[in-house]
Amino acid sequence: MPPAGTGGSKKLASRHITMITLGGIIGASLFVGSGNVIRNVGPAALVSYLIGGILVFLAMRMLGEMAAARPTTGSFMEYARVGLGDWAAYFVGWLYWYFWVGVIAFEAVVSGSILHGWVPAVPEWVFSIAMMLIFTITNLVSVRSFGEVEFWLASIKVVAIVVFLGVGVLFALGFWPGGSFSLPNLWEHGGFAPNGVWPVIAGVAIVIFSYFGTEIAVMAAAEAEDPAKGVRQATTTVIWRILLFFVGAVFLIVVVVPWNELPDPQVEGPFVHVFTLYGIPAAGAIMSAVTLTAVCSVLNSGLYSAARMFAALADKGYAPAIVAKRSRNGVPIAAVIASTLGGYAAVIVNFAAPESGIFDFIMNSAGLVALFVYAFIALTQIRMRQRMTKEEVAGLELKMWLHPWLGILVIAAVVAIVVIMVVSGEGTRTQVWTSLVSVAVLAVFWPAVRKRLARVRADRATAERAE
């Protein structure tokens, strides 16, 4: 059933779901961050992206099995509640919301930096606050306005990737001006894995976060005109999106440019560098604009995700009831505003007191949320399938393969990635410990929330008996 309160109009159309599905995971982590992975791993970064993509695909398939049978906003939080209990829903819901509040602030800061580079006379913080306001309004108007803005922002990203891939194939085969057959770049500069196998495995821990956001399409599908169709569309196409946009793009970068000649992404992003080699006029300016649209897209969809999860938390009693209130168009207004307040606060702290380290703590402490979510999805799907009858399993529109072994594989992979993050270096180790601090804070408040839930449910049961 559609989520309560979403309203009967202004829902997302099929084209919105299609473009959110296509462009939802394309962000600055691909346009810029892929350069760091390639410089550390070499051409074998392909394997890192492929392994990470497979894990995400399996998690999405499990989420799709649950969502196709029961589309709902809050998606995996609600499934965690049904499958594992209130404690699981409480932790995964709040962690997910916290993650996106941090991302909202981060993307606002990045967009401010890009715009400041275009108009140096205006301070970065002014642009950051302005971008926050624009997308706050976009999300407050209606879910349809969110979908429309995301449709066009995602379209720009998708077009840029398609052009990059199309020209790149011609360039790598020598059919583009200035190009030559360059496939040997995969192995000629120190080998396919010049730094050994370990960096390839450690690279998975980095790229896994590039894919986070794929689940937004499943959440949005719950507010679509045809939720079941939207869920099938979002989950069944994720693998080729990963292979085409991420693995395909990284493949062309390491083929066109020797991995050890790729510039520092802080100086020049890999896409800018390759577009320049293609001979595309004003490649830097074009990719700067594309990166800005990618950042805005993540800001827009991140605010949508944070607000829907916050409202879902309130619906189930894990957050104040006022947060669950929706407008006639189905927009959780209080949840949208509350989610942006955290973003505004983080942006202000970053510019007013950058030396305080608070902004860095927020970003680091949200670092493991993607892995937590994937582990909860796997655990929940395994538990919910165990409770089904043979007839119910046979009637599933989407079904996870090799149950429960692939789910167990995802959980084992999550544990392995966390271990890798602990032993890899100070940066990833900090993410682990600060993320655990966030979990510990939630654990402190859980007893009070549990008591409140018990009281509310007891009052509700008493009222029902009185009727």
Side-chain angles (χ1 to χ4, degrees):
M1 291 179 64
T6 55
S9 61
K10 301 295 184 182
K11 291 190 175 184
L12 295 171
S14 178
R15 66 184 180 90
H16 295 134
I17 298 298
T18 298
M19 199 52 68
I20 291 170
T21 300
L22 286 174
I25 57 174
I26 303 173
S29 58
L30 173 61
F31 290 128
V32 179
S34 57
N36 283 324
V37 179
I38 294 170
R39 282 161 55 89
N40 291 331
V41 179
L46 276 169
V47 178
S48 300
Y49 274 95
L50 187 59
I51 294 173
I54 290 172
L55 292 177
V56 174
F57 172 58
L58 294 177
M60 282 291 291
R61 182 73 185 192
M62 287 184 283
L63 178 58
E65 176 182 299
M66 296 181 287
R70 188 174 181 171
T72 177
T73 52
S75 58
F76 45 84
M77 185 208 74
E78 171 63 6
Y79 308 137
R81 184 188 69 81
V82 174
L84 302 175
D86 285 314
W87 69 271
Y90 166 80
F91 276 97
V92 76
W94 275 107
L95 285 171
Y96 189 77
W97 178 80
Y98 179 52
F99 170 85
W100 280 114
V101 168
V103 170
I104 289 166
F106 177 75
E107 301 298 339
V109 170
V110 173
S111 64
S113 176
I114 293 174
L115 291 169
H116 175 69
W118 295 354
V119 188
V122 179
E124 286 186 29
W125 69 268
V126 173
F127 280 125
S128 294
I129 296 296
M131 297 304 289
M132 290 279 291
L133 286 170
I134 289 171
F135 289 104
T136 299
I137 294 170
T138 297
N139 275 266
L140 284 174
V141 173
S142 69
V143 66
R144 190 83 173 204
S145 67
F146 153 75
E148 199 65 38
V149 170
E150 190 61 23
F151 174 84
W152 291 108
L153 290 175
S155 296
I156 294 172
K157 294 188 292 184
V158 170
V159 168
I161 293 289
V162 169
V163 172
F164 179 85
L165 295 174
V167 176
V169 169
L170 297 176
F171 190 91
L173 295 176
F175 298 139
W176 188 266
S180 61
F181 184 74
S182 53
L183 194 62
N185 279 334
L186 283 173
W187 59 82
E188 281 189 345
H189 304 277
F192 182 66
N195 297 321
V197 176
W198 178 252
V200 178
I201 300 172
V204 177
I206 299 173
V207 304
I208 198 76
F209 299 111
S210 300
Y211 295 123
F212 200 53
T214 306
E215 75 293 331
I216 292 174
V218 177
M219 295 178 71
E223 296 187 80
E225 293 169 348
D226 186 347
K229 177 184 176 182
V231 168
R232 289 195 302 272
Q233 181 178 308
T235 55
T236 56
T237 62
V238 66
I239 187 62
W240 71 258
R241 284 183 287 132
I242 288 172
L243 290 174
L244 179 63
F245 294 139
F246 279 85
V247 179
V250 171
F251 172 78
L252 281 175
I253 291 172
V254 295
V255 166
V256 170
V257 185
W259 73 273
N260 53 355
E261 295 180 13
L262 204 63
D264 186 337
Q266 299 301 320
V267 178
E268 185 179 52
F271 278 73
V272 173
H273 185 71
V274 173
F275 265 123
T276 302
L277 292 179
Y278 291 168
I280 304 294
I286 292 172
M287 281 311 302
S288 179
V290 171
T291 302
L292 178 62
T293 64
V295 167
C296 290
S297 173
V298 175
L299 178 55
N300 185 44
S301 57
L303 181 51
Y304 172 87
S305 298
R308 266 43 181 196
M309 184 58 78
F310 205 5
L313 283 164
D315 282 333
K316 299 302 178 183
Y318 309 125
I322 189 174
V323 179
K325 292 186 177 180
R326 290 172 168 83
S327 68
R328 286 182 299 174
N329 285 334
V331 176
I333 295 177
V336 171
I337 294 174
S339 299
T340 61
L341 290 179
Y344 286 119
V347 168
I348 292 170
V349 166
N350 180 64
F351 289 112
E355 70 285 348
S356 67
I358 295 177
F359 187 79
D360 288 338
F361 175 81
I362 292 173
M363 294 310 302
N364 281 327
S365 61
L368 282 185
V369 169
L371 296 175
F372 289 153
V373 168
Y374 295 144
F376 271 113
I377 288 173
L379 285 168
T380 302
Q381 185 271 336
I382 291 172
R383 179 64 63 85
M384 291 182 71
R385 178 76 81 85
Q386 288 173 343
R387 294 177 179 176
M388 290 182 176
T389 64
K390 290 183 179 180
E391 291 74 18
E392 289 173 331
V393 172
L396 289 172
E397 292 187 43
L398 284 175
K399 192 180 298 183
M400 183 61 187
W401 312 286
L402 298 178
H403 171 81
W405 303 112
L406 289 181
I408 294 172
L409 175 63
V410 170
I411 296 169
V414 167
V415 173
I417 291 172
V418 172
V419 172
I420 290 169
M421 292 178 71
V422 171
V423 302
S424 286
E426 188 61 32
T428 53
R429 191 178 301 123
T430 298
Q431 282 195 338
V432 173
W433 300 131
T434 51
S435 296
L436 292 178
V437 168
S438 303
V439 174
V441 170
L442 288 173
V444 168
F445 287 100
W446 170 238
V449 173
R450 183 174 54 191
K451 287 181 180 179
R452 177 177 175 274
L453 280 173
R455 186 171 61 252
V456 170
R457 288 169 182 172
D459 293 342
R460 188 179 302 159
T462 300
E464 289 175 354
R465 284 196 298 269
E467 292 177 357

